[in-house]
């Protein structure tokens, strides 16, 4: 049995007040207590008490986005994240053998082969770039060959960004400050999906950091942050990746370890949770996490060299992990509002997850689209209509882009990362 | 069981609103109080006809039915104690109509009080009842439990705002009570009977609620006391001086210390108690009232009285009050939140009794609440895994109720009786008092199918916080 893996004591601190309900995108969308944070905590508790089987909680746990908005809403600080991870790990352990072959292949390919492996990601990125540039994309789209993929992958194929090819992997790269003596020495954390699909954003991030006087180094030893593995219950891989990252960055003494990825940033600042039973590594993890910061925090403290007005109505979909885990709420918004000419319009219910949530939108495609439909309903309520949606995480970025496409708004609304918009306003390009 | 599901599928044709999985049944087995009872099935009706057909069917087959909102109840109101059907009305929020001309809101049962208030604000009106759970709890649940909140002092509780209802009876008939007129004395006041009946007499499927003009201005004061009994006296004196604050809330030292340890907001921790007072109305009138409130407090040995200078500052003070509940459970996980209420004049005496009970049973007792209307929230913080401690808690709670009733008070100011306080009903109402209520229940619900096991104690039922 896997009962010992469940965070039973943490479930006992829930007083079942229900204050989390309205904050939960799956409760609001699926309209059942079973898909609420309070419901999930109760199911984990009952499973730990042996009153239900672990299979009984699977569906509910599987459908959790892990956005952790409930933690922000919780008046007594129940550690939902810990409870969720424990349930995911217990379920993963139990069903290792039972996974459907297709799911097992997709998952294992994504998590164990692709994501932590720079070379494959590079190849994928390069492949994508070629695929897009040569017109193969058009042919593939027309031919229907993509239909052999599950519907979900097909949908995402339609919105893939134009890939630039990743930052160079095998070598250290150092980018000097634009202002002589550096303001900060920054180690840049580039992420995997980000570095493959959105490497241009990483490049722009580095240039913005340089523009405010930072010296930026991209160290070659860095690894995937491990978030996707952890959310899928692959704890062993998570630990390995976390150790490699901590060791790698320990070598360098940066003032800050900066990233432009809401989800990875959240994982990096919570590394200590991975090492709950390992005092030595907990300490090292804490030291590491202390230096980790989202790019918006650094940029918002300095004056950016804006040179161009962006005369557009703009809305912003915050990344859940940025809001609820990193608690970085003000900085991105402040930066956005600083852009000359901009008309900022708040997205109704902006703190609701868009449904991207790691690989949720791939493995739980239909449910994810229901959540996205709610999100797009709110986008359409904004008056005047925004022409730009700003995001701060590649997952949200792709999801919002898909939402725009599904609503037939592709010609009216573009989806950008905050960094891209800032760079545009500073007339910085790659 | 399968037959039950098949029958309900004929009534609710959207089968996604009929829940039978183990996980779903577990998810409707609890509320925010104590106890866990599995229903046989959960249905989520969205029309009066679905509710009425379900009740007709259940009544004929004598299957218990438990109406439920979002399950924030602190008294066990929606718990399916005898199995059967949970009727989840939380998703039925299709109607929220503001009739600004008549100052009314007409709503379906799943709408929240917060949503009603926000819709009303667009017309410069408010819906005054403000239970702490107002942005989660449904109006249906508020009506069933007759919920209150801090503003109850000046504006009353839910029942003071209901003038008409559509109700499905336990036998599945649909009736209307009251209407859209502010005055209505035709026949028995069934509206008032239904409100606070905890879902034992009927299921509210629509409500007509009175709205109130939005006050022009509000101000917040804080008074600090070195002696809790003095603060109780100050509360009584303010009220008898002809001023009616919108809210008057008290926090004792234990709750202040807990809040400061949780999320510091700069409250002084060396006082015995503080009271927070909100005055609302015409700005000129408020200015004068502030001065008078200050004088009264100082005359009752207040150490200091201060007025919030900005909206931000006022908000912070009220936030501190709201944080008491979460802050106190950081010590131990189990919170027994009571709402025993005494006549205002007895507040100082009740404080004294609570101190005695705390010492006698050696329990972590924290007192805060809506002192202005005598509705205190003595909260005991414990750990339900500690059986010995829980036994002491049970005894202490029992004594709190006894004290409240001896002082001319009541078992519940705003949470309802549900399953938790049923054993004490006779203590407050006497045998005949309960009997009259039971006769009413029998007349409405001859087969005892609607929310059985609530309000009335079963023979020999004792107050218990521990399972088994």
């Amino acid at each position: 049995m896997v009962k010992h893996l469940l965070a039973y004591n943490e479930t006992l601190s829930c007083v079942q007040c229900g204050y989390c309900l309205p904050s939960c995108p799956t409760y609001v969308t699926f309209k059942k207590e079973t898909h609420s944070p309070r419901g999930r905590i109760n199911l984990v508790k009952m499973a730990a008490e042996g009153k239900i089987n672990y299979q009984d909680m699977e569906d509910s746990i599987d459908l959790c986005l892990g956005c952790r908005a409930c933690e922000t809403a919780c008046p007594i600080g129940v550690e939902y994240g810990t409870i969720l991870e424990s349930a995911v790990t217990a379920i993963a352990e139990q069903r290792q053998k039972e996974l459907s072959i297709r799911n097992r292949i997709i998952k294992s390919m994504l998590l164990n082969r692709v994501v932590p492996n720079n070379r494959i990601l590079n190849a994928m990125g390069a492949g994508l770039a070629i695929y897009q540039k040569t017109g193969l994309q058009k042919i593939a789209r027309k031919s229907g060959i993509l239909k052999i993929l599950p519907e979900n992958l097909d949908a995402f194929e339609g919105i893939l960004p134009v890939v630039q090819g990743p930052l160079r992997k095998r070598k250290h790269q150092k980018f000097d400050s634009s202002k002589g003596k550096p303001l900060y020495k920054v180690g840049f954390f580039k992420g995997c999906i980000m570095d493959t699909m959105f490497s241009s954003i990483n490049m722009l991030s580095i240039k913005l950091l340089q523009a405010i006087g930072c010296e930026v180094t991209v160290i070659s030893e860095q690894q995937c942050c491990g978030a996707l593995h952890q959310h899928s219950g692959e704890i062993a891989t998570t630990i390995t990746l976390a150790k490699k990252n901590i060791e790698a960055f320990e070598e360098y003494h940066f003032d800050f370890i900066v990233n432009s990825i809401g989800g990875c940033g959240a994982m990096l600042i919570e590394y200590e949770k991975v090492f709950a039973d390992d005092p030595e590594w907990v300490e090292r993890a804490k030291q590491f996490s202390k230096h980790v910061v989202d790019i918006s925090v650094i940029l918002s403290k300095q004056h950016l060299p804006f040179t161009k007005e962006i005369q557009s109505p703009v809305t912003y979909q915050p990344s859940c992990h940025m809001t609820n885990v990193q608690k970085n709420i003000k900085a991105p918004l402040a930066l956005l509002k600083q852009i000359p000419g901009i008309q900022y319009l708040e997205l109704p219910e902006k703190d609701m997850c868009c449904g991207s949530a790691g690989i949720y939108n791939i493995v739980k495609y239909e449910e994810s689209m229901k959540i996205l439909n709610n999100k797009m309903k709110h986008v359409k309520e904004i008056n005047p209509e925004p022409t730009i949606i700003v995001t701060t995480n590649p997952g949200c970025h792709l999801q919002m882009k898909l939402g725009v496409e599904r609503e037939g708004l592709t010609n009216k609304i573009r989806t950008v990362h905050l960094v891209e918009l800032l760079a545009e306003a500073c007339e910085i390009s790659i | 069981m399968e037959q039950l599901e098949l029958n309900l599928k004929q009534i609710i044709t959207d089968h996604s609103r009929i829940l039978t999985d183990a996980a779903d049944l577990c998810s409707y087995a609890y509320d925010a109080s104590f106890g866990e009872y599995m229903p046989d099935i959960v249905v989520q009706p969205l029309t009066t006809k679905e509710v009425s057909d379900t009740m007709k069917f259940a009544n004929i087959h004598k299957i218990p039915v438990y109406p439920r909102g979002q399950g924030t109840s602190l008294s066990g109101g929606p718990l399916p104690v005898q199995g059967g059907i949970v009727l989840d009305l939380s998703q039925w929020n299709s109607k929220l109509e503001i009739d600004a001309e008549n100052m009314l809101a007409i709503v379906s049962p799943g709408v929240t009080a917060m949503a009603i208030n926000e819709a009303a604000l667009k017309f410069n009106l408010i819906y005054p009842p403000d239970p702490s759970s107002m942005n989660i709890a449904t109006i249906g649940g508020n009506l069933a439990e007759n919920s209150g909140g801090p503003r109850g002092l000046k504006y009353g509780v839910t029942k003071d705002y209901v003038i008409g209802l559509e109700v499905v009876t336990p036998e599945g008939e649909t009736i209307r009570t009251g209407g859209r007129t502010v005055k209505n004395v035709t026949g028995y006041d069934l509206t008032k009977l239904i409100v606070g009946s905890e879902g034992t007499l009927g299921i509210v499927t629509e409500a007509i609620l009175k709205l109130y003009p939005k006050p022009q201005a509000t101000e917040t004061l804080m008074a600090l006391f070195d002696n809790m009994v003095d603060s109780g006296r100050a509360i009584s004196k303010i009220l008898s001086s002809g001023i009616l604050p919108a809210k008057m809330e008290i926090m004792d030292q234990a709750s202040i210390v807990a809040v400061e340890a949780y999320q510091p907001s700069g409250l002084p921790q060396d006082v015995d108690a503080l009271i927070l007072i909100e005055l609302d109305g015409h700005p000129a009138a408020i200015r004068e009232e502030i001065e008078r409130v200050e004088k009264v407090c100082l005359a009752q040995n207040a150490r200091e009285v201060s007025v919030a200078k900005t909206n931000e500052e006022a908000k912070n003070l009220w936030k501190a009050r709201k944080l008491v509940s979460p802050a106190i459970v950081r010590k131990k996980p189990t919170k027994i939140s009571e709402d025993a209420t005494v006549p205002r004049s007895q507040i100082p005496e009740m404080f004294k009794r609570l101190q005695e009970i705390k010492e006698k049973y050696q329990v972590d007792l924290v007192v805060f609440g809506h002192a202005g209307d005598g509705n205190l929230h003595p909260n005991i913080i414990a750990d339900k895994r500690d059986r010995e401690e829980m036994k002491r808690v049970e005894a202490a709670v029992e004594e709190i109720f006894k004290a409240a009733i001896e002082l001319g008070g009541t078992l519940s100011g705003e949470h309802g009786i549900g399953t938790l306080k049923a054993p004490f009903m006779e203590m407050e109402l006497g045998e005949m008092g309960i009997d009259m209520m039971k006769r009413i229940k029998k007349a409405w619900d001859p087969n005892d199918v609607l929310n059985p096991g609530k309000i009335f104690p079963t023979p020999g039922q004792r107050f218990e916080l521990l399972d088994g």
Side-chain angles (χ1 to χ4, degrees):
Chain A
M1 264 315 278
V2 291
K3 267 191 223 163
H4 65 280
L5 294 172
L6 296 172
Y8 180 61
N9 275 332
E10 285 78 358
T11 67
L12 294 178
S13 53
C14 173
V15 293
Q16 303 187 325
C17 66
Y19 285 22
C20 53
L21 298 181
S23 73
C24 176
T26 58
Y27 176 68
V28 172
T29 307
F30 308 141
K31 302 180 191 306
K32 291 203 293 190
E33 176 82 13
T34 323
H35 297 303
S36 75
R38 179 174 67 172
R40 293 190 175 104
I41 293 169
N42 177 59
L43 289 174
V44 172
K45 185 176 97 189
M46 292 186 84
E49 286 171 355
K51 291 179 180 163
I52 55 170
N53 297 321
Y54 82 96
Q55 289 96 333
D56 292 326
M57 66 170 184
E58 258 186 73
D59 192 32
S60 169
I61 297 295
D62 274 358
L63 281 174
C64 176
L65 295 152
C67 70
R68 292 170 62 179
C70 51
E71 281 186 25
T72 303
C74 179
I76 58 171
V78 172
E79 292 180 48
Y80 179 81
T82 309
I83 297 169
L84 174 70
E85 299 300 351
S86 80
V88 169
T89 310
I91 289 171
E93 193 142 303
Q94 275 286 348
R95 73 175 163 197
Q96 206 52 43
K97 301 165 231 143
E98 309 155 22
L99 266 179
S100 84
I101 291 176
R102 199 190 79 182
N103 274 344
R104 208 183 329 169
I105 292 173
I106 293 177
K107 211 174 118 181
S108 123
M109 191 179 86
L110 280 172
L111 295 178
N112 295 327
R113 297 283 181 76
V114 178
V115 176
N117 189 320
N118 286 337
R119 275 168 62 195
I120 293 186
L121 271 177
N122 280 354
M124 238 174 86
L128 266 172
I130 292 167
Y131 171 71
Q132 289 174 339
K133 282 178 186 147
T134 56
L136 260 176
Q137 187 175 35
K138 272 190 196 148
I139 295 166
R141 281 182 192 177
K142 263 192 182 161
S143 72
I145 195 169
L146 296 162
K147 300 287 179 229
I148 60 164
L149 292 169
E151 186 200 353
N152 39 14
L153 290 182
D154 187 8
F156 287 101
E157 198 283 331
I159 47 115
L160 287 177
V162 177
V163 170
Q164 302 291 337
L167 289 171
R168 284 157 64 200
K169 294 296 190 305
R170 292 287 107 195
K171 253 172 68 181
H172 280 295
Q173 287 171 285
K174 195 166 153 192
F175 303 84
D176 288 331
S177 152
S178 64
K179 296 178 181 166
K181 190 178 180 311
L183 171 72
Y184 301 124
K185 289 191 173 180
V186 166
F188 192 77
F189 188 85
K190 55 199 168 96
C192 332
I193 305 289
M194 189 75 154
D195 197 41
T196 310
M197 305 273 184
F198 297 103
S199 62
S200 59
I201 296 172
N202 273 347
M203 205 55 235
L204 290 173
S205 298
I206 291 169
K207 291 200 168 178
L208 283 169
L209 288 168
Q210 284 178 287
I212 60 161
C214 297
E215 174 192 290
V216 187
T217 310
V218 184
I219 64 168
S220 61
E221 301 92 331
Q222 63 181 290
Q223 304 286 325
C224 167
C225 69
L228 295 178
H229 308 83
Q230 192 190 32
H231 300 159
S232 306
E234 314 253 332
I235 295 306
T237 317
T238 314
I239 291 177
T240 311
L241 291 169
K243 282 185 176 172
K244 283 187 180 169
N245 274 321
I246 293 169
E247 273 172 345
F249 280 93
E250 272 173 351
E251 294 293 314
Y252 297 84
H253 309 294
F254 294 117
D255 297 319
F256 294 103
I257 301 166
V258 176
N259 70 85
S260 312
I261 317 154
C264 301
M267 181 71 202
L268 298 177
I269 66 159
E270 285 204 324
Y271 263 179
E272 65 173 287
K273 288 199 173 174
V274 178
F275 301 108
D277 304 321
D278 188 337
E280 184 210 325
W281 278 95
V282 164
E283 216 23 67
R284 289 172 75 177
K286 276 186 193 163
Q287 285 306 319
F288 170 84
S289 298
K290 246 172 45 188
H291 293 91
V292 172
V293 67
D294 186 76
I295 186 162
S296 57
V297 175
I298 301 270
L299 294 183
S300 69
K301 284 183 185 150
Q302 306 297 324
H303 292 290
L304 279 170
F306 291 118
T307 51
K308 184 183 150 194
E309 290 197 348
I310 310 265
Q311 297 281 6
S312 296
V314 172
T315 195
Y316 167 49
Q317 163 64 40
S319 138
C320 298
H321 282 148
M322 187 104 99
T323 302
N324 301 314
V325 185
Q326 298 194 54
K327 312 274 182 208
N328 177 20
I329 297 159
K330 288 184 184 156
L333 208 53
L335 277 171
L336 195 56
K337 289 180 181 171
Q338 277 169 26
I339 297 178
I342 214 159
Q343 183 187 6
Y344 169 69
L345 302 160
E346 183 164 306
L347 174 63
E349 298 190 19
K350 65 179 182 352
D351 293 328
M352 283 274 175
C353 175
C354 62
S356 160
I359 54 171
Y360 189 95
N361 50 7
I362 299 177
V363 292
K364 295 284 174 196
Y365 178 72
E366 273 170 39
E367 289 84 356
S368 164
M369 290 306 114
K370 281 188 193 163
I371 294 163
L372 180 58
N373 290 345
N374 270 348
K375 182 57 71 185
M376 295 314 293
K377 194 183 86 196
H378 292 132
V379 169
K380 287 190 287 181
E381 277 169 20
I382 305 174
N383 186 23
E385 282 179 8
T387 56
I388 301 175
I389 297 175
V390 172
T391 59
T392 49
N393 180 57
C396 317
H397 194 145
L398 283 174
Q399 180 86 341
M400 293 307 291
K401 212 169 160 185
L402 183 58
V404 166
E405 171 135 309
R406 281 164 62 91
E407 296 292 335
L409 295 169
T410 315
N411 295 328
K412 287 190 183 158
I413 304 181
R414 65 185 174 120
T415 308
V416 299
H417 190 288
L418 175 61
V419 159
E420 290 179 290
L421 204 60
L422 293 172
E424 194 178 321
C426 297
E427 292 182 283
I428 288 173
S429 55
I430 51 170
Chain B
M1 244 311 290
E2 271 157 34
Q3 194 54 44
L4 174 61
E5 188 182 338
L6 283 176
N7 284 308
L8 288 172
K9 278 184 172 169
Q10 284 169 6
I11 295 169
I12 296 184
T13 45
D14 172 3
H15 296 168
S16 71
R17 292 191 275 115
I18 298 178
L19 318 179
T20 53
D21 285 356
D24 289 329
L25 299 180
C26 291
S27 299
Y28 294 85
Y30 56 81
D31 65 357
S33 70
F34 286 79
E36 203 175 86
Y37 304 89
M38 292 293 249
D40 294 312
I41 198 161
V42 179
V43 294
Q44 301 179 299
L46 294 178
T47 63
T48 305
K49 188 168 186 316
E50 286 176 346
V51 174
S52 134
D53 288 351
T54 305
M55 272 329 296
K56 278 182 184 154
F57 167 77
N59 185 52
I60 291 168
H61 296 92
K62 299 195 170 53
I63 302 163
V65 177
Y66 312 87
R68 178 187 168 98
Q70 304 248 50
T72 60
S73 169
L74 290 161
S75 58
L79 297 176
V81 290
Q82 295 174 14
I85 304 168
V86 164
L87 213 59
D88 172 25
L89 296 153
S90 63
Q91 303 306 318
W92 183 2
N93 57 5
S94 46
K95 190 174 205 173
L96 172 47
E97 199 183 298
I98 302 291
D99 174 354
E101 219 174 1
N102 289 310
M103 301 196 357
L104 298 174
I106 300 98
V107 299
S108 48
V111 174
T112 63
M114 179 76 104
I116 299 170
N117 194 47
E118 277 173 4
L121 277 173
K122 289 183 188 149
F123 298 90
N124 231 6
L125 299 168
I126 58 167
Y127 173 66
D130 61 341
S132 302
S133 57
M134 71 184 291
N135 61 340
I136 304 112
T138 62
I139 190 70
N142 282 184
L143 289 161
E145 302 293 335
N146 196 359
S147 311
R151 284 206 290 227
L153 168 61
K154 179 168 184 176
Y155 296 97
V157 294
T158 304
K159 72 174 172 198
D160 300 310
Y161 292 86
V162 194
I163 56 171
L165 294 173
E166 181 187 80
V167 178
V168 172
T169 69
E171 291 169 300
E173 303 302 333
T174 306
I175 59 166
R176 283 203 162 263
T177 73
R180 291 196 179 213
T181 58
V182 174
K183 286 184 171 177
N184 180 332
V185 295
T186 308
Y188 291 156
D189 192 349
L190 296 184
T191 311
K192 285 277 197 289
L193 181 61
I194 297 292
V195 176
S197 66
E198 305 192 17
T200 61
L201 299 182
I203 299 160
V204 173
T205 46
E206 187 177 293
I208 303 170
L209 307 167
K210 276 195 292 186
L211 301 174
Y212 198 88
K214 187 185 163 203
Q216 290 178 40
T218 55
E219 293 283 354
T220 298
L221 285 89
M222 177 170 69
L224 310 176
F225 291 88
D226 291 322
N227 182 326
M228 192 158 188
V229 178
D230 283 342
S231 72
R233 259 191 225 111
I235 291 163
S236 302
K237 294 280 181 199
I238 291 169
L239 293 166
S240 56
S241 74
I243 295 170
L244 187 52
K247 308 179 194 169
M248 193 145 51
E249 302 278 303
I250 187 154
M251 290 164 67
D252 72 352
Q253 190 183 26
S255 40
I256 298 169
V257 171
V259 168
E260 286 301 306
Y262 177 38
Q263 274 183 35
S265 40
L267 299 175
Q269 299 184 43
D270 60 338
V271 294
D272 211 23
L274 65 78
I275 46 181
L276 286 177
I277 303 161
E278 184 178 287
L279 297 165
D280 71 357
H282 190 277
I286 298 180
R287 270 199 299 277
E288 201 190 305
E289 286 178 354
I290 287 176
E291 284 176 25
R292 284 169 58 195
V293 169
E294 273 182 292
K295 270 189 200 142
V296 173
C297 289
L298 293 172
Q300 299 305 318
N301 306 322
R303 181 202 292 181
E304 191 191 318
V305 183
S306 55
V307 184
K309 286 178 205 72
T310 58
N311 273 345
E312 199 60 26
E313 214 178 303
K315 244 194 219 162
N316 265 339
L317 289 175
W318 288 108
K319 192 179 152 207
R321 161 64 184 89
K322 274 202 166 161
L323 286 174
V324 175
S325 253
I328 56 181
V329 279
R330 297 185 89 72
K331 216 159 134 189
K332 287 186 206 163
T334 311
K335 185 170 91 131
I336 299 97
S337 170
E338 282 312 338
D339 68 330
T341 302
V342 293
R344 294 164 186 176
S345 62
Q346 298 286 6
I347 292 171
E349 179 60 24
M350 188 65 185
F351 282 158
K352 236 175 79 194
R353 300 269 187 111
L354 289 171
Q355 273 343 92
E356 286 162 14
I357 292 168
K358 179 178 178 171
E359 274 155 38
K360 180 171 169 191
Y361 293 99
Q362 292 293 307
V363 285
D364 274 319
L365 179 85
V366 181
V367 185
F368 60 98
H370 321 305
D373 52 22
N375 182 192
L376 299 175
H377 287 305
N379 271 248
I380 301 180
I381 310 306
D383 185 339
K384 65 184 161 208
R385 286 164 293 186
D386 183 344
R387 296 187 75 87
E388 187 274 324
E389 181 183 27
M390 290 305 277
K391 284 285 159 204
R392 276 186 284 128
V393 173
E394 282 173 2
V397 171
E398 199 164 339
E399 203 148 322
I400 290 172
F401 288 131
K402 272 191 195 143
I405 288 170
E406 267 173 39
L407 297 175
T410 179
L411 294 172
S412 177
E414 58 183 13
H415 294 173
I417 299 302
T419 51
L420 267 188
K421 296 182 207 174
F424 305 117
M425 282 292 272
E426 205 176 306
M427 191 160 84
E428 179 171 342
L429 298 173
E431 205 178 320
M432 268 326 284
I434 297 187
D435 190 55
M436 283 311 289
M437 285 191 183
K438 281 186 175 164
R439 287 192 223 179
I440 293 173
K441 167 73 174 167
K442 186 83 188 162
W444 279 75
D445 185 8
N447 293 323
D448 197 23
V449 288
L450 191 54
N451 211 8
K454 312 295 161 63
I455 305 180
F456 307 112
T458 49
Q461 187 182 345
R462 285 192 43 79
F463 175 70
E464 272 172 10
L465 296 170
L466 291 164
D467 312 327

